[in-house]
Amino acid sequence: QVQLVQSGAEVKKPGASVKVSCKASGYTFTNYYMHWVRQAPGQGLECMGIINPSGGSTSYAQKFQGRVTMTRDTSTSTVYMELSSLRSDDTAVYYCARAAPIFVLVPAAFDYWGQGTLVTVSS
Amino acid sequence: DIQMTQSPSTLSASVGDRVTITCRASQSISTWLAWYQQKPGKAPKILIYKASSLESGVPSRFSGSGSGTEFTLTISSLQPDDFATYYCQQYNSYLYTFGQGTKLEIK
């Protein structure tokens, strides 16, 4: 069965960076786009960007351009999201979510989600 | 980016009620719209995709409609398990966006 398992909670100081991992299993990792979504406490869902695990290409929401980097390791079927220059308002639960098949040119919604990783930014 | 606007932000209803949530897109997204349900401390769960297609395993009391820029999610007869927060999401563009959410509360 498809599973996305994320790394554990992190506590970081303002100005630091955090790197969250998402390990996929139960399907062919390089066949599906992966997105990152975050949710601040008591707030809504915010899409951060997308990575193509096959070629590694990425696209980031304008809000996060210059601060976020998404990468993948095909040998371990893992995607990573690194956010730098952390501020207190980056405190949130960060999710990875699987979306469309890469080689089928039809958009698709998120069908599987990771369990979420709480990142707390505090001095 | 495509902006998604949901209304209402909060909805108070009783078990057995029929409720409707509306979502508007800032530009046409055809039918590339999904609805999710989220409960506290959990990841969202998809209910509807392609505006009106029911995800496997989702009760038939949930239905979606719309195309272009206007969409609705309807729950025909609220059950206790339905009290949660609901989000619409467009996936017409490469970078997806969510509505701000509708919290469905027990009246």
Side-chain angles (χ1 to χ4, degrees):
Chain A
Q1 72 284 18
V2 173
Q3 282 193 301
L4 302 176
V5 179
Q6 297 183 222
S7 49
E10 302 262 12
V11 179
K12 296 292 183 180
K13 293 194 183 302
S17 297
V18 68
K19 192 170 186 177
V20 179
S21 67
C22 169
K23 182 174 175 61
S25 63
Y27 71 98
T28 302
F29 174 69
T30 51
N31 281 3
Y32 290 81
Y33 291 105
M34 196 77 81
H35 295 242
W36 286 91
V37 177
R38 78 175 188 181
Q39 185 170 38
Q43 303 301 308
L45 300 164
E46 182 174 36
C47 289
M48 301 178 68
I50 178 175
I51 182 167
N52 176 340
S54 178
S57 60
T58 56
S59 185
Y60 305 133
Q62 189 170 10
K63 176 176 180 176
F64 301 101
Q65 290 269 6
R67 283 210 302 144
V68 70
T69 304
M70 296 177 189
T71 56
R72 95 292 190 216
D73 182 343
T74 57
S75 69
T76 60
S77 299
T78 302
V79 294
Y80 300 91
M81 187 285 299
E82 184 170 22
L83 189 62
S84 63
S85 303
L86 289 169
R87 309 183 289 254
S88 58
D89 62 358
D90 291 317
T91 295
V93 175
Y94 290 77
Y95 295 101
C96 57
R98 194 184 82 161
I102 292 169
F103 305 112
V104 175
L105 299 179
V106 176
F110 297 156
D111 56 358
Y112 291 94
W113 295 68
Q115 82 277 18
T117 296
L118 175 62
V119 175
T120 302
V121 182
S122 174
S123 54
Chain B
D1 293 359
I2 299 174
Q3 307 303 315
M4 305 300 293
T5 305
Q6 264 182 257
S7 60
S9 299
T10 307
L11 182 56
S12 296
S14 302
V15 172
D17 284 354
R18 178 184 179 91
V19 298
T20 297
I21 299 168
T22 298
C23 183
R24 289 186 174 86
S26 60
Q27 64 189 73
S28 178
I29 57 170
S30 183
T31 55
W32 303 117
L33 184 105
W35 291 96
Y36 298 85
Q37 176 193 69
Q38 188 181 32
K39 296 185 176 179
K42 299 293 187 182
K45 168 191 169 185
I46 188 165
L47 302 174
I48 302 283
Y49 63 95
K50 210 164 182 300
S52 60
S53 296
L54 193 67
E55 179 74 3
S56 176
V58 174
S60 59
R61 62 181 180 272
F62 291 92
S63 64
S65 65
S67 66
T69 61
E70 297 248 354
F71 302 88
T72 59
L73 172 71
T74 299
I75 310 173
S76 60
S77 178
L78 276 173
Q79 299 302 300
D81 190 49
D82 299 338
F83 292 94
T85 301
Y86 293 84
Y87 294 92
C88 63
Q89 178 204 45
Q90 68 79 20
Y91 53 100
N92 178 71
S93 68
Y94 207 44
L95 292 171
Y96 299 2
T97 46
F98 287 95
Q100 77 274 25
T102 296
K103 186 175 184 179
L104 182 52
E105 299 179 329
I106 300 174
K107 187 185 286 184

